[in-house]
Amino acid sequence: MLGASSSLVTVMSPFENYTKLAVAVIWVAWLLYWFISAFGNKAAARVDGWASFLTYRVPLILAFLLLFGRALGRFWPWLGQRFLPHGMAWPCVGLAVLLLGLAFACWARVALGRNWSATVQLKQGHELVTAGPYRWVRHPIYTGMLSGVLGSALVIGEWRGLIALVLVFASFAYKLRHEESWMREQFGATYTEYMRHTKALIPGLL
């Protein structure tokens, strides 16, 4: 019985390592697409200031350092402690959530077209997009990215993944409120009505 248990651990460990590597590859591929697709966007008419930019960007950087920086566990060992058991089930679920989440974000990016920007901006000739995934949530890119981080946390199975998820959520919560104040100024009652019948991140809930 002991021998069988040891054998199981030996088989599972490489699988978990491969899924963690897959998480990194998926995010790199997604970031490459994100970078390439940024070319050709509309020129900015209004750009956010540095103080606000750092308020939502720094938590994102810290979150991805937690996801991919295992060395941080040398300084804070509890970050590397597991909240999920070892095995194949959770990494498989996590990879599925990661892929679906980032695919959803890409769909939203395509729907947004040349109005997209990485920072809080209003574009010249900015359009209010309510088609595609924007029919269901006001910020589907954030929904997709949060799902991607959740999926990554399920693959990793360690507390650092959940803390990364909290940081990303906090970043997006601040950023979307800031964006929406600008959108209300730009589109007035039209955007207010859109907010009234469309949730920010989770259809019917949030």
Side-chain angles (χ1 to χ4, degrees):
M1 190 71 173
L2 180 60
S5 176
S6 300
S7 174
L8 181 62
V9 171
T10 302
V11 170
M12 299 298 258
S13 181
F15 175 80
E16 290 178 337
N17 288 333
Y18 290 143
T19 54
K20 289 178 181 178
L21 177 61
V23 167
V25 170
I26 291 167
W27 275 108
V28 168
W30 180 82
L31 286 170
L32 182 61
Y33 162 75
W34 219 245
F35 175 77
I36 293 173
S37 64
F39 292 99
N41 289 335
K42 294 177 181 177
R46 182 181 179 186
V47 181
D48 202 11
W50 274 101
S52 180
F53 170 81
L54 292 174
T55 300
Y56 58 78
R57 189 51 58 93
V58 169
L60 280 181
I61 294 171
L62 291 175
F64 281 91
L65 285 175
L66 283 168
L67 281 179
F68 301 110
R70 294 191 64 183
L72 293 173
R74 297 176 185 174
F75 303 99
W76 299 285
W78 62 272
L79 289 173
Q81 293 178 358
R82 298 190 64 83
F83 70 93
L84 290 175
H86 287 285
M88 296 179 64
W90 284 113
C92 287
V93 171
L95 282 178
V97 172
L98 168 61
L99 287 168
L100 289 172
L102 295 189
F104 189 70
C106 289
W107 180 25
R109 172 69 182 83
V110 171
L112 200 56
R114 297 179 64 220
N115 298 287
W116 177 84
S117 63
T119 62
V120 179
Q121 293 184 8
L122 284 175
K123 298 292 189 178
Q124 296 178 10
H126 201 110
E127 300 168 286
L128 176 59
V129 177
T130 59
Y134 289 87
R135 291 174 295 176
W136 302 319
V137 288
R138 302 195 303 270
H139 300 274
I141 290 177
Y142 298 164
T143 300
M145 290 182 66
L146 281 166
S147 299
V149 176
L150 172 61
S152 303
L154 295 178
V155 173
I156 294 168
E158 299 171 4
W159 285 108
R160 61 191 172 97
L162 288 185
I163 296 172
L165 180 62
V166 171
L167 286 170
V168 173
F169 181 83
S171 170
F172 288 163
Y174 171 83
K175 189 180 178 186
L176 71 85
R177 286 186 176 88
H178 190 33
E179 286 176 334
E180 292 193 329
S181 68
W182 286 22
M183 296 294 278
R184 287 194 301 270
E185 291 178 19
Q186 180 77 5
F187 297 105
T190 302
Y191 195 80
T192 301
E193 178 64 16
Y194 177 53
M195 292 178 68
R196 191 183 66 79
H197 63 73
T198 308
K199 295 296 184 181
L201 295 171
I202 303 174
L205 292 177
L206 177 65

